[in-house]
Amino acid sequence: MSKFGTLIMGPAGAGKTTFCSALIQHLRLNKRSCFYVNLDPAAEDFSYEPDLDIKDLISLEDVMEEMALGPNGGLISCFEFLLENLDFLTSALEPLSEEYMIIIDLPGQIELYTHIPVVPTLVRHLTRYGSLNISLCAAYLLESTFVIDRAKFFAGTLSAMSAMIMLEIPHVNILSKIDLVKGSIPKRQLKRFLDPDTSLLEDDNDDEQRGGRLVDPASKESVMGGGSFKKLNKAVARLIDDFSMVSFLQLDVQDEDSVGGVLSYIDDAIQFHEAQEPREPNDEIDYGDDVMTE
């Protein structure tokens, strides 16, 4: 029996947990069952209580205290411990039917799925290569305010592409918190960032903005606006353009249509609806035992 789920990931502050809450609310409003898994051992505040929480297995605070590690090292240790105790996930997810959407919320330390094989190993266990046979789609969130700093935007886009290559599962890339930039960036200009290419760097007016002023060569302004830095950005942009893998959806979690639009892409990627049997009007829906908290 197939199962269906989505991995919610992205850098810290991208709005992953907020998106999980909006997704759960949207699923419930549309009478769909869901199962919420929190795999961030440092997370504490939830709008919806997780059905399965990694802190019931191990917490970041305990690891940092007992092993004298910092936050990043502690997170890696937590996930290594999880990989040694995969029954924690298997026993909870195995009974779920194909009607459920499994929502898995990951930490914001992107090195977990772009630099080291911790999350890729976990994904192999969850998907068809493992015993659970979950059809997974990764949803990578990048905060839309990154578009204001194009170097930062391309760095974030490169991280998204790296995650796509490392995880080898269907991917949906999302510009989150789109409401924060709608009033400050024209709609036509914002659309250019949905399919990133090198042309975004061609109209960089950094030299004109500096206006020929004398700038300390060692200053941040000089380094970030210097020729070498621009060449690096263009090389990153060309790499992204050459692979032509990354495009973005816009997300405003306050807008039900926006959340529903992103969910429709996730459903298509994992072929959720193709696996569902016709439902009778009076069929009961299992919403889980968790309740919304203030």
Side-chain angles (χ1 to χ4, degrees):
M1 179 177 62
S2 296
K3 304 181 195 308
F4 300 92
T6 179
L7 292 174
I8 311 300
M9 57 190 194
K16 297 181 294 297
T17 302
T18 302
F19 175 53
C20 287
S21 298
L23 200 55
I24 293 169
Q25 180 177 334
H26 183 83
L27 288 166
R28 291 183 172 188
L29 288 174
N30 288 273
K31 298 182 178 181
R32 284 178 57 177
S33 302
C34 60
F35 191 89
Y36 181 26
V37 181
N38 171 52
L39 290 186
D40 184 352
E44 294 181 352
D45 298 322
F46 303 96
S47 294
Y48 291 92
E49 198 66 26
D51 298 294
L52 183 66
D53 194 338
I54 191 175
K55 293 197 300 296
D56 294 333
L57 177 69
I58 190 170
S59 74
L60 178 60
E61 184 178 357
D62 291 341
V63 170
M64 291 173 60
E65 182 178 344
E66 292 179 13
M67 302 182 68
L69 295 172
N72 287 345
L75 274 169
I76 294 172
S77 294
C78 286
F79 268 80
E80 289 175 342
F81 186 78
L82 175 64
L83 293 180
E84 295 171 358
N85 296 272
L86 287 172
D87 285 347
F88 175 75
L89 287 174
T90 303
S91 60
L93 300 180
E94 186 67 44
L96 299 180
S97 71
E98 62 188 13
E99 294 181 356
Y100 280 82
M101 172 64 78
I102 302 169
I103 301 170
I104 303 175
D105 190 4
L106 290 172
Q109 279 62 30
I110 60 173
E111 60 267 27
L112 290 172
Y113 34 86
T114 60
H115 293 72
I116 55 179
V118 174
V119 173
T121 301
L122 175 64
V123 166
R124 285 194 292 272
H125 172 75
L126 294 173
T127 57
R128 292 183 174 88
Y129 299 102
S131 60
L132 288 171
N133 193 30
I134 302 175
S135 181
L136 275 179
C137 172
Y140 191 100
L141 274 65
L142 191 67
E143 190 174 340
S144 60
T145 55
F146 280 26
V147 304
I148 297 172
D149 183 343
R150 299 189 180 187
K152 194 173 182 180
F153 171 76
F154 275 106
T157 303
L158 183 63
S159 295
M161 189 175 79
S162 176
M164 295 174 75
I165 294 170
M166 288 284 286
L167 297 185
E168 298 181 324
I169 57 175
H171 232 80
V172 173
N173 297 299
I174 302 164
L175 282 180
S176 62
K177 304 181 182 180
I178 203 69
D179 53 303
L180 298 181
V181 299
K182 277 187 175 178
S184 56
I185 297 180
K187 185 178 294 186
R188 180 177 296 181
Q189 184 178 351
L190 186 58
K191 284 184 177 179
R192 297 180 59 197
F193 290 90
L194 302 183
D195 293 292
D197 60 49
T198 55
S199 67
L200 288 169
L201 292 174
E202 292 174 1
D203 56 355
D204 189 352
N205 297 319
D206 197 53
D207 286 335
E208 289 76 10
Q209 290 174 358
R210 292 205 291 169
R213 293 183 291 109
L214 292 176
V215 180
D216 180 3
S219 69
K220 179 180 177 182
E221 181 182 1
S222 180
V223 173
M224 299 295 282
S228 297
F229 186 68
K230 289 183 178 180
K231 287 180 181 178
L232 174 62
N233 288 330
K234 288 181 180 179
V236 170
R238 282 195 299 270
L239 179 66
I240 293 167
D241 198 13
D242 289 345
F243 272 83
S244 193
M245 292 174 62
V246 183
S247 60
F248 289 96
L249 303 173
Q250 300 181 57
L251 172 66
D252 179 358
V253 294
Q254 306 298 327
D255 184 347
E256 277 292 319
D257 290 337
S258 179
V259 176
V262 171
L263 177 60
S264 69
Y265 276 88
I266 295 173
D267 283 339
D268 288 345
I270 59 179
Q271 298 182 319
F272 176 83
H273 293 294
E274 284 82 347
Q276 305 307 304
E277 296 182 1
R279 187 186 299 278
E280 294 297 329
N282 294 325
D283 281 355
E284 293 184 359
I285 307 295
D286 185 358
Y287 295 108
D289 297 329
D290 54 314
V291 295
M292 186 173 183
T293 60
E294 294 297 331

